[in-house]
Amino acid sequence: MKNDLASELEFFLLIARHGNLSAAARALDLTPPAATKRLMQMEARLGVRLVNRTTRSISLTNEGETYLAHAARILALLRDMEDAVSSSSTDLRGLLRVNATLGFGRTTIAPLVSEFARLHPHVEIQVELTDKPVDLVDGGFDMAIRFGALPDQRINARCLMTNRRFLCASPLYLERYGTPATLADLAHHRCIIHRQNEDAYGIWRFVHEQHNEVMKVRGALASNDGDVVLGWALDGHGILIRSEWDLAKYLKSGRLKVVLPEFNLPSADLFVYYAGQRNQTARARAFIDFLVERFQEPAGPG
């Protein structure tokens, strides 16, 4: 069981991270009144107010900012100490916080976490799924698993899997509306839009014979969920951009066909990225190595 000081420091880091006492309480499986009482006890013991509280949010006082900076540094030192002691052992311990995208996190990363947890039962693993970009440091994550270009080229990363992207459509759609022969033909087709982060709506970018080409496409259906747009393509509603990871089984079965294969799209390679190797724990290194090994297996994970 963690000592009271470490527990108190982690409690305060959660409050600062969430900016909301109720969210911090949920993360620790506490009731909001219990979390409020715990914070008041901390402030009473220290003799200062650490946060300014409103009905919806909290902000740190100057004393709270100072406490937070010291708390983060002390907890990092404690993690380094525990890791230095345990790194010589195969019995990994401690907390591992992983961020991944929603759909891929559910279908692929979660089963891999399950497998890793069986191998290392003393590692506590928290997985948070979100399609929005995350700040590893502010979010308190050891790593994030993402498709596509890295959000910041200065971030340390390892490529888990190359993953090309293609235009595809169902045979039903192609029989009904014809197969495009040029990029210009896309302007006359129904295109399914997968809205991702801050991408410009309906703008598809291609590379052909070392030239960049941009197409503005239109369609009646759009969603920010990859499984939803894939289902619409399977139902014959239009042409979609999708990665080979998602398409493989449908191309093999013939339920989807690649169109305009000579035009290349930006790839959606899979990366695991992390803040830095210097402060990386043995459990984080072990999980990254585990992911690399699994994704390099011929049949892929699962």
Side-chain angles (χ1 to χ4, degrees), residues 7-288:
S7 178
E8 194 169 273
L9 296 177
E10 289 189 347
F11 170 64
F12 194 72
L13 253 67
L14 279 172
I15 293 175
R17 183 181 301 151
H18 289 285
N20 182 291
L21 199 54
S22 296
R26 285 194 298 272
L28 290 170
D29 198 23
L30 295 174
T31 64
T36 301
K37 181 179 179 181
R38 186 173 180 179
L39 177 59
M40 291 175 65
Q41 288 174 339
M42 286 176 59
E43 292 178 326
R45 181 175 60 79
L46 294 167
V48 296
R49 180 178 290 276
L50 296 173
V51 301
N52 298 309
R53 292 185 282 278
T54 67
T55 54
R56 292 190 176 183
S57 64
I58 61 174
S59 60
L60 300 185
T61 62
N62 289 336
E63 292 81 4
E65 293 283 2
T66 301
Y67 190 88
L68 175 65
H70 285 282
R73 187 166 63 251
I74 291 167
L75 285 172
L77 288 171
L78 286 173
R79 284 194 296 268
D80 288 347
M81 178 187 68
E82 290 182 349
D83 191 49
V85 172
S86 64
S87 61
S88 60
S89 168
T90 57
D91 187 14
L92 298 175
R93 294 177 180 273
L95 175 63
L96 183 66
R97 299 193 74 241
V98 179
N99 180 277
T101 53
L102 285 167
F104 189 75
R106 282 193 303 265
T107 61
T108 304
I109 300 304
L112 290 174
V113 167
S114 177
E115 185 180 348
F116 185 81
R118 283 195 296 270
L119 296 172
H120 304 284
H122 297 296
V123 176
E124 179 187 351
I125 307 172
Q126 295 178 1
V127 178
E128 184 170 313
L129 304 182
T130 173
D131 283 334
K132 293 182 179 179
V134 296
D135 185 302
L136 294 177
V137 177
D138 289 348
F141 294 107
D142 293 284
M143 68 193 70
I145 302 164
R146 283 286 184 275
F147 283 104
L150 295 177
D152 186 338
Q153 293 301 320
R154 295 168 297 178
I155 291 177
N156 294 281
R158 288 179 70 178
C159 183
L160 298 175
M161 177 181 69
T162 57
N163 190 37
R164 295 171 299 168
R165 296 161 80 225
F166 300 100
L167 289 174
C168 64
S170 72
L172 175 65
Y173 174 86
L174 297 175
E175 289 170 11
R176 183 175 299 171
Y177 296 99
T179 301
T182 67
L183 284 186
D185 290 344
L186 292 176
H188 309 293
H189 275 267
R190 296 169 178 262
C191 295
I192 300 170
I193 312 297
H194 183 197
R195 306 192 69 171
Q196 294 180 283
N197 301 324
E198 301 301 320
D199 290 351
Y201 185 82
I203 299 296
W204 288 358
R205 304 178 189 278
F206 302 86
V207 177
H208 180 59
E209 296 180 349
Q210 299 184 332
H211 295 291
N212 295 319
E213 301 194 42
V214 178
M215 282 296 302
K216 172 67 175 176
V217 299
R218 294 177 176 81
L221 299 176
S223 175
N224 67 336
D225 187 281
D227 291 337
V228 168
V229 293
L230 182 59
W232 288 336
L234 290 166
D235 288 341
H237 287 289
I239 297 173
L240 174 69
I241 294 176
R242 210 74 189 128
S243 75
E244 60 183 323
W245 172 268
D246 300 305
L247 291 178
K249 64 181 179 181
Y250 300 112
L251 295 177
K252 186 176 181 180
S253 68
R255 293 187 64 192
L256 290 174
K257 294 184 179 296
V258 172
V259 299
L260 297 173
E262 66 274 22
F263 292 91
N264 297 315
L265 288 148
S267 66
D269 296 345
L270 182 67
F271 291 92
V272 55
Y273 59 92
Y274 43 93
Q277 286 183 307
R278 187 174 64 84
N279 296 321
Q280 197 176 57
T281 62
R283 55 189 173 273
R285 288 193 300 271
F287 186 61
I288 290 173

